[in-house]
Amino acid sequence: MQAKSRFCGAGMIMAMACAAFAAVPPTLREADVVVVGGTVDGVRAAIAAKAAGASVFLVAPRAYLGEDRAATFQLDRLPSDDPSDPVFREIFNPLYAKPVSLAATLSTNAADAARIVLTADLGSVQPISGASAKVPVLVRQDAAFRKNAPDLYATARVVIETSEDGESWKPFADLKRADNAYGHRSSMSPFEHRAEATCRYVRAIQHLETDYPRQEPGVLRVLGPVPKGLRDKVTPFLIKRGLDKSMLAAGVPFLTGFPATDILRDSKGKFAGVVVASRNGFQSVRAKVLIDATVRGRLAERAGGARRPFPSGDRPCTFTVIDRAGKMHVHELMLPFADGSAFSFLAAEQIARDRTWTSDQADAADRIAYATPDTFTSLPEGIFAVGPCAEKGTDAVAVGRAAGRAALLRSRIGDAAPLSPSLPVLASYDVVVAGGGTGGAPAGIAAARQGAKTLVLEFLDRLGGQTTEGGITGYYFGNRVGFTKEIDAGRNATGKVPYTAKGEWFRSAIRKAGGDVWFGSFAAGVETKDGRVTAVIAVLPDGTCGRVLCKTAIDATGNADLAASAGCETEFITADELSVQGVGQAPQSKTGGGRNSDIGFLNDTDAEDLWFFGLRSRLSMPDDTWDQAQIPGSRERRRLIGEFYVTPYDVMLERTYPDTICRTYSNFDTHGQTRDPQFFIEDPPHAAMYVNLPYRALLPKKLDGLLVTGLGMSAHRDAMPILRMEPDVQNQGYAAGVASAMAVASGVPVRSIRVKALQHHLAEKGIIPFETLETGDSFPPKDADFDRAIRTLPSDYEGLAVLMSDPARSIPRLKEAWRTADAPDAKLVYAHVLGMMGDRTGEATLLAKFESASWDKGWNFRGMSQFLRSVSWTDSYAIALGRSRSLAARPALDAKAVALTADMHYSHFRALALAYEGLGDPAGVQSLARLLRLPGVGGHALRAGDKIPPVRNYSNREGDRERTLVLKELCLARAIFNLGDTPDGLGRRTLEAYAADPRRAYAEHARLVLAAPRGTSGK
Ligand SMILES: Cc1cc2nc3c(=O)[nH]c(=O)nc-3n(C[C@H](O)[C@H](O)[C@H](O)COP(=O)(O)OP(=O)(O)OC[C@H]3O[C@@H](n4cnc5c(N)ncnc54)[C@H](O)[C@@H]3O)c2cc1C
């Protein structure tokens, strides 16, 4: 079954909610006390309320905790930060300081290449706090690379020992390459171990990697004792992670990325909970008592809190930036405020950026800092405030305790009454762009330049998305023409650090063209009327929620958020198979560098998974991390199934269209397994290719007034690697912006614009060649193409894409070719392709080949640097037999299953699961269950509430290992379940365990399998 199932998870809640709040939004959680806001005092109050015996739940608006300090770069310990408070002890923990290296005399026995010993002599016996051996490690692992570079060196393991006398040695650490900070990706990575010891000598014994000719001696550093007492200054990362750890240690559940927008009351007007917004739509947290710990205190105000006036006029604020040398500059600014509304703050934030930009800016705070003038003077019963909006000197711990006790006195949570049925109008624009990322920022610039009154709503605090906040500042392929050329020139002229310079160029270009940018603002859905988008629902940084009216909306969320909220058909994780590209959210350096990482899967449609992925990433990062990328690096997300759906065949055959708006350029950088049947036979090409993208891939099928750009475009997942490069998404976003302004100017829906005029503009801009305006659709392929493909197929499957593009036309030709082929190899090729297309004509040929084949070199999951195939030939034959429902193949499949052991490659397990599911023969359950019961194959699901296992050193290889184990288990469980399950329900049990897994990409897949009619998934 092709992956075209309509996504009907969290997005549907959003759709419902956007019809406004006639009803109470669905319940996310219930607790005695709800804390809104992830400020330091919010965390302290939440922990205190829990200690008072109440159940507590905290929701924070940003993607992390610490919006008062981490977001403003207020990194110093303040005199008022009580050193005995466990939260401050966690944040300012001295152990997180990088201790100084001790002076030592170093010696080595470099002559023995297999076992290099580095020894450090400190001169006297003294306390140490750790040792770090920075040794050269293998750069890449694949065999071809080794063969071509026989002098590559590699250190597999470093054993560190200490001694007082240089004679008797004590073990200190035994570090494998997996412990190494960056796995196989770096050529000089530290093997570091931190622990206290007393010694004079430290030695690091480097062990050579098997099969490698040599290794190089590294550098050994011995770390001095950690200073006593709390640290005076930390990083944004340590604040965020310190707060995470404090909450986890106290057992207080929390979610980040859930701004609170409103309060719920019961029929008597008493507080009954809050409304929160997120990718999951609007939901409610039902509670007896509220602690407002946000920066602005909007909810406590809505609940009836009285506050001091917010005087209009210029106010003193600070905005902190960091230069390329890592120096912090705290700019003191007088910024104008009309009032205390979100709009005043949105405007002030922009002015702060205008005034503080310098070309060597390497990082900047997320928001301005200021002394809050309108603190609360009184609050109604059951409503508490802590943090910046509370009266100066408020003791958050005391408030937390009081709130906990107050909640315990209230017998139950009141039944929430429905909210007001309409949302206020916040503003009115011609074009609203939701998401100011790689595609959205160019869309905003283009629309504004074309004269449309344009707003860009961006959840983060810098434009550019992956290209800036994700840390992916360098291009990998992409057609660097047209608007991308202008961006690159603008970025280079704007600043010296690509990350910040690009974000700043985007911001200034939009504003120069007359457009507006709202940072920290979340597009929570759309409002539609008569099949057309009329408004985008926006949640502003302080939780203000309302409608932004528009004539056209551009969904540049990279996740088709708006399209899904409007009920458009979309696709992402399916019941069929869990095939999604890998994701990372890597450390970010102080001077503007990110890291491309791939450590797990992420269900981008699920706000709880965004939280968990970010949290787990932080818990996996080294203590000396400056910050974490602000946005998870998810390469594959929810996509529209639009007016036109780009298939892998369109890509492979370089299809032309009458409405091409972009020529993309890349290779199949698949970051995991492919799933289109074509790629079960031939390798997705490693060589880069040019591919056309039609305008219709941005258009929903029915809804008007919406364009979807970026990773949310309408294309099959296996086509996306060629379409998704940054230079191409930028040009595509630009095209969407021009198209939206054309629609506004001519008063027609975006689907009715004059596409030739759009193309003409794009050709003038250099995005597409002028010849493109003359091309038509090159599909369907001609009969002669099919005939030629039949002739060339025996030669390494040449022409396969033509044949796979239309099985109805290919199968009769393939049958005839199989019947008349003399050469056994050719016969097998025809039988193989027929089988993959679901035709059993060549069964005997294919089966004979499969029976005689043994398990060959398979594939374990690999995200980073995964090119070419993800199945072996034997895997491929098994899958083809399954797809053709070859019941005669069962004994051969059984025999192959018996030959599998737990440690063999994942792709063999995947192939068998797919093959048995294809057959649909319940007898397959026995073989599959035996495999799932092999020691080490099962039991890899995480339980909610379990200690969150870190991904060691945030290493891609660790992530690969975990995904290999999980995918092996999941594919077997799915197949067993689909085939009717074992009498003791092994398949269901395993899937149910994953359905509750906090890694919610796995959970979503498992839930979909459990919910699908038996036997319909896994094909
Ligand atoms: C880890 C990684 C590595 C990559 N490596 C490369 C590479 O080396 N070279 C290359 O050319 N390409 C690379 N790519 C591909 C490329 O970066 C992406 O395909 C592209 O950036 C996606 O653009 P986008 O506009 O769809 O999404 P994004 O750039 O992610 O932009 C989406 C924006 O929308 C915002 N947003 C989302 N939802 C909402 C909402 N509801 N309300 C308001 N704002 C919202 C987000 O905060 C974000 O700023 C990589 C991608 C990833 C993830």
Side-chain angles (χ1 to χ4, degrees):
M1 191 168 70
Q2 278 291 327
K4 278 204 180 188
S5 61
R6 177 180 165 151
F7 179 80
C8 57
M12 293 306 288
I13 302 171
M14 182 142 72
M16 277 159 41
C18 294
F21 305 121
V24 177
T27 302
L28 169 68
R29 296 280 199 288
E30 283 191 6
D32 293 327
V33 178
V34 59
V35 181
V36 299
T39 51
V40 173
D41 274 354
V43 167
R44 294 173 67 225
I47 293 170
K50 164 97 193 299
S55 64
V56 182
F57 184 62
L58 182 147
V59 271
R62 291 184 177 256
Y64 52 83
L65 299 175
E67 68 246 27
D68 50 345
R69 298 215 187 175
T72 53
F73 283 178
Q74 295 188 79
L75 309 177
D76 295 330
R77 187 157 58 87
L78 304 176
S80 55
D81 293 346
D82 176 1
S84 67
D85 185 308
V87 174
F88 291 119
R89 282 211 309 274
E90 184 61 75
I91 294 174
F92 295 102
N93 192 329
L95 275 177
Y96 301 151
K98 192 93 185 157
V100 289
S101 302
L102 295 174
T105 313
L106 292 174
S107 58
T108 178
N109 72 330
D112 179 359
R115 192 175 176 277
I116 294 174
V117 184
L118 297 165
T119 307
D121 178 358
L122 302 174
S124 62
V125 175
Q126 49 186 290
I128 68 165
S129 73
S132 152
K134 208 170 188 193
V135 299
V137 296
L138 151 94
V139 178
R140 286 183 52 178
Q141 301 161 298
D142 55 277
F145 194 81
R146 286 185 193 189
K147 207 163 49 201
N148 297 337
D151 63 343
L152 255 189
Y153 43 76
T155 299
R157 178 178 166 218
V158 177
V159 174
I160 302 179
E161 297 172 340
T162 58
S163 167
E164 293 196 358
D165 56 9
E167 298 286 326
S168 62
W169 292 89
K170 284 190 204 152
F172 185 72
D174 186 349
L175 306 168
K176 312 276 182 322
R177 195 141 49 78
D179 298 315
N180 180 293
Y182 299 126
H184 63 282
R185 290 291 298 173
S186 172
S187 57
M188 276 291 275
S189 295
F191 287 77
E192 184 172 298
H193 185 68
R194 302 271 295 271
E196 298 202 339
T198 303
C199 59
R200 170 171 173 175
Y201 301 94
V202 177
R203 71 181 182 188
I205 305 158
Q206 291 177 215
H207 291 271
L208 183 63
E209 172 99 344
T210 323
D211 292 344
Y212 277 76
R214 69 191 177 90
Q215 61 177 335
E216 300 272 296
V219 180
L220 178 62
R221 292 194 316 127
V222 182
L223 306 176
V226 174
K228 298 280 177 241
L230 295 186
R231 299 179 64 188
D232 291 335
K233 196 181 195 73
V234 289
T235 59
F237 171 76
L238 288 178
I239 295 175
K240 295 174 186 180
R241 198 190 61 180
L243 295 174
D244 293 333
K245 283 186 162 185
S246 301
M247 293 291 275
L248 292 171
V252 180
F254 67 107
L255 287 171
T256 56
F258 282 72
T261 62
D262 212 341
I263 59 160
L264 294 165
R265 294 179 191 277
D266 65 15
S267 52
K268 294 194 186 108
K270 274 189 131 182
F271 177 76
V274 300
V275 178
V276 291
S278 75
R279 280 232 165 116
N280 295 4
F282 288 93
Q283 291 170 288
S284 58
V285 180
R286 311 286 312 289
K288 299 175 188 168
V289 160
L290 166 71
I291 301 178
D292 190 333
T294 59
V295 174
R296 292 293 304 132
R298 245 195 90 262
L299 254 60
E301 184 182 317
R302 275 185 88 82
R307 59 200 313 179
R308 294 188 168 76
F310 192 107
S312 65
D314 287 357
R315 298 202 53 74
C317 302
T318 61
F319 188 62
T320 302
V321 303
I322 290 172
D323 67 22
R324 278 196 301 158
K327 191 162 177 250
M328 284 182 87
H329 302 266
V330 183
H331 293 280
E332 292 183 2
L333 307 164
M334 288 302 285
L335 298 176
F337 288 84
D339 50 33
S341 71
F343 296 105
S344 283
F345 279 88
L346 287 171
E349 295 273 356
Q350 293 296 327
I351 298 169
R353 284 171 172 77
D354 290 341
R355 291 200 196 155
T356 56
W357 172 257
T358 58
S359 62
D360 76 341
Q361 190 182 104
D363 202 355
D366 288 350
R367 30 170 300 255
I368 53 174
Y370 51 88
T372 306
D374 52 345
T375 48
F376 285 103
T377 50
S378 69
L379 291 159
E381 192 192 335
I383 309 294
F384 298 82
V386 296
C389 65
E391 190 71 284
K392 205 164 181 302
T394 300
D395 178 352
V397 171
V399 170
R401 273 194 218 114
R405 283 195 300 266
L408 294 177
L409 290 176
R410 208 174 147 187
S411 59
R412 62 176 198 92
I413 303 171
D415 294 328
L419 292 155
S420 152
S422 70
L423 288 170
V425 173
L426 300 179
S428 176
Y429 284 87
D430 292 331
V431 176
V432 174
V433 183
T438 317
I445 295 168
R449 281 184 183 175
Q450 296 301 308
K453 189 182 175 212
T454 303
L455 169 68
V456 177
L457 280 172
E458 171 53 53
F459 180 58
L460 303 176
D461 300 275
R462 180 176 284 118
L463 296 173
Q466 278 311 324
T467 68
T468 57
E469 297 290 57
I472 310 299
T473 49
Y475 297 143
Y476 172 75
F477 290 109
N479 192 4
R480 300 162 197 189
V481 295
F483 188 58
T484 283
K485 255 188 170 171
E486 186 187 335
I487 294 173
D488 294 350
R491 181 202 62 196
N492 294 341
T494 302
K496 301 186 184 81
V497 180
Y499 160 56
T500 46
K502 191 165 184 174
E504 178 59 18
W505 185 80
F506 279 145
R507 192 184 73 86
S508 61
I510 292 175
R511 285 161 56 82
K512 224 177 265 171
D516 290 329
V517 178
W518 291 357
F519 281 139
S521 300
F522 179 67
V526 289
E527 191 174 72
T528 62
K529 195 170 173 215
D530 301 330
R532 188 165 176 170
V533 173
T534 52
V536 173
I537 313 294
V539 179
L540 309 188
D542 68 356
T544 300
C545 178
R547 291 177 293 153
V548 182
L549 305 182
C550 64
K551 294 175 182 146
T552 298
I554 298 180
D555 181 342
T557 59
N559 192 48
D561 276 12
L562 299 193
S565 82
C568 297
E569 194 180 0
T570 59
E571 67 175 5
F572 185 32
I573 292 171
T574 67
D576 304 352
E577 259 214 304
L578 185 62
S579 291
V580 285
Q581 292 208 2
V583 183
Q585 193 171 1
Q588 187 191 332
S589 88
K590 190 177 185 183
T591 47
R595 178 156 71 83
N596 204 340
S597 61
D598 185 335
I599 59 100
F601 295 142
L602 170 66
N603 179 1
D604 256 285
T605 66
D606 184 336
E608 293 195 45
D609 206 25
L610 291 168
W611 163 75
F612 186 79
F613 194 90
L615 171 68
R616 188 176 182 208
S617 296
R618 284 190 293 280
L619 296 175
S620 307
M621 287 175 190
D623 298 338
D624 59 356
T625 300
W626 163 250
D627 204 351
Q628 176 186 34
Q630 308 300 314
I631 184 174
S634 42
R635 298 169 175 89
E636 179 179 352
R637 308 183 197 151
R638 174 170 52 196
R639 295 174 306 280
L640 174 75
I641 297 181
E643 187 75 34
F644 187 90
Y645 179 79
V646 184
T647 68
Y649 311 110
D650 299 327
V651 166
M652 290 291 284
L653 299 174
E654 296 173 36
R655 182 170 177 176
T656 62
Y657 309 95
D659 58 341
T660 294
I661 51 162
C662 196
R663 267 176 75 67
T664 72
Y665 178 67
S666 188
N667 65 5
F668 281 90
D669 181 12
T670 57
H671 280 272
Q673 67 193 25
T674 49
R675 52 162 307 158
D676 187 87
Q678 173 185 208
F679 299 137
F680 286 146
I681 296 180
E682 73 175 349
D683 289 341
H686 195 170
M689 57 203 290
Y690 285 96
V691 166
N692 300 304
L693 182 75
Y695 178 56
R696 285 163 295 156
L698 276 53
L699 283 171
K701 277 185 191 154
K702 293 190 186 119
L703 187 69
D704 271 326
L706 185 69
L707 284 168
V708 181
T709 184
L711 285 173
M713 73 182 104
S714 171
H716 186 283
R717 68 172 303 277
D718 285 348
M720 282 300 288
I722 310 286
L723 307 174
R724 70 175 171 88
M725 288 296 108
E726 288 169 357
D728 303 327
V729 171
Q730 288 168 177
N731 279 332
Q732 188 203 109
Y734 179 89
V738 174
S740 66
M742 284 173 65
V744 170
S746 48
V748 298
V750 271
R751 77 175 66 249
S752 310
I753 59 161
R754 286 176 46 234
V755 174
K756 285 292 162 211
L758 171 65
Q759 286 180 304
H760 200 269
H761 177 97
L762 299 177
E764 281 187 331
K765 189 78 193 165
I767 290 179
I768 50 172
F770 274 100
E771 303 89 84
T772 314
L773 274 78
E774 312 303 324
T775 55
D777 197 331
S778 60
F779 262 43
K782 299 184 182 59
D783 281 345
D785 297 327
F786 283 88
D787 295 339
R788 191 175 326 109
I790 290 287
R791 284 196 301 279
T792 57
L793 199 66
S795 166
D796 209 11
Y797 293 87
E798 196 184 326
L800 179 69
V802 175
L803 297 172
M804 297 294 282
S805 74
D806 192 345
R809 291 169 75 192
S810 307
I811 286 174
R813 289 174 165 88
L814 283 164
K815 281 180 170 176
E816 181 58 14
W818 174 80
R819 200 180 59 74
T820 55
D822 293 328
D825 285 355
K827 227 175 165 62
L828 173 65
V829 165
Y830 293 126
H832 188 194
V833 177
L834 274 167
M836 206 56 89
M837 287 184 182
D839 186 283
R840 221 165 30 221
T841 305
E843 181 181 33
T845 310
L846 187 56
L847 186 52
K849 177 68 189 177
F850 180 65
E851 281 170 341
S852 66
S854 47
W855 284 121
D856 43 2
K857 183 171 184 303
W859 180 84
N860 276 339
F861 184 88
R862 180 171 180 151
M864 190 61 78
S865 308
Q866 165 57 29
F867 297 102
L868 309 177
R869 61 182 47 239
S870 49
V871 293
S872 73
W873 285 107
T874 305
D875 296 337
S876 179
Y877 299 137
I879 294 168
L881 285 164
R883 290 176 69 88
S884 64
R885 297 186 68 86
S886 166
L887 286 176
R890 203 175 54 77
L893 290 173
D894 290 345
K896 288 284 184 297
V898 167
L900 268 190
T901 54
D903 57 344
M904 286 170 78
H905 285 110
Y906 152 64
S907 70
H908 300 328
F909 291 78
R910 177 191 184 197
L912 280 182
L914 288 173
Y916 279 117
E917 280 173 307
L919 258 52
D921 180 353
V925 165
Q926 221 181 338
S927 294
L928 292 164
R930 189 193 70 78
L931 290 175
L932 185 47
R933 289 191 170 112
L934 289 176
V937 173
H940 300 292
L942 288 182
R943 279 176 313 183
D946 278 357
K947 189 166 183 304
I948 301 169
V951 178
R952 276 196 301 170
N953 292 313
Y954 216 60
S955 136
N956 297 325
R957 292 179 77 219
E958 279 293 295
D960 288 348
R961 226 169 269 148
E962 176 174 299
R963 284 174 288 186
T964 295
L965 291 171
V966 170
L967 288 174
K968 219 181 238 188
E969 183 179 6
L970 259 181
C971 72
L972 293 171
R974 185 198 65 231
I976 292 167
F977 177 77
N978 275 334
L979 292 171
D981 219 335
T982 58
D984 64 347
L986 176 65
R988 174 178 286 281
R989 248 191 355 263
T990 308
L991 290 167
E992 282 174 348
Y994 276 104
D997 194 307
R999 297 165 300 180
R1000 290 166 73 120
Y1002 300 135
E1004 176 70 3
H1005 172 65
R1007 279 197 294 263
L1008 290 171
V1009 175
L1010 288 165
R1014 285 256 170 116
T1016 56
S1017 66
K1019 290 179 186 169

